Amino acid sequence: MIELNFLLIISLFITGLLGLFSVLSFLNQSPKEKPPFLKEKYVWYCSICTYTYFTTKDKIISTCPRCLSFNKKIIDSK
Ligand SMILES: [Zn+2]
């Protein structure tokens, strides 16, 4: 017969709870919206030094933080 002591029961219970929570959190995952700074209009590519940077300001022209050159946003008309 398998001998069950108090610590074994508690550890099995905690392990079961952790497994249940991890399965539930995995099942709860839904395709989330991208964070605002990852939206395409905030991602800039410097045409001079090819540096990729983010700015949350909704502007047509921004300044590259690396080479300080001005970049114009190319808006796709899809
Ligand atoms: Zn640059």
Side-chain angles (χ1 to χ4, degrees), residues 46-51 53 64-69 71:
C46 180
S47 57
I48 306 298
C49 68
T50 67
Y51 186 66
Y53 59 98
C64 174
R66 188 201 260 172
C67 68
L68 300 176
S69 66
N71 294 293

Side-chain angles (χ1 to χ4, degrees), residues 1-36:
M1 186 180 159
I2 301 171
E3 201 172 306
L4 292 176
N5 62 20
F6 184 70
L7 280 177
L8 183 63
I9 291 171
I10 292 294
S11 61
L12 282 177
F13 179 72
I14 290 173
T15 307
L17 273 183
L18 287 176
L20 184 70
F21 278 126
S22 61
V23 166
L24 282 178
S25 65
F26 179 76
L27 291 177
N28 259 342
Q29 283 180 344
S30 57
K32 290 173 187 165
E33 197 174 295
K34 285 180 183 178

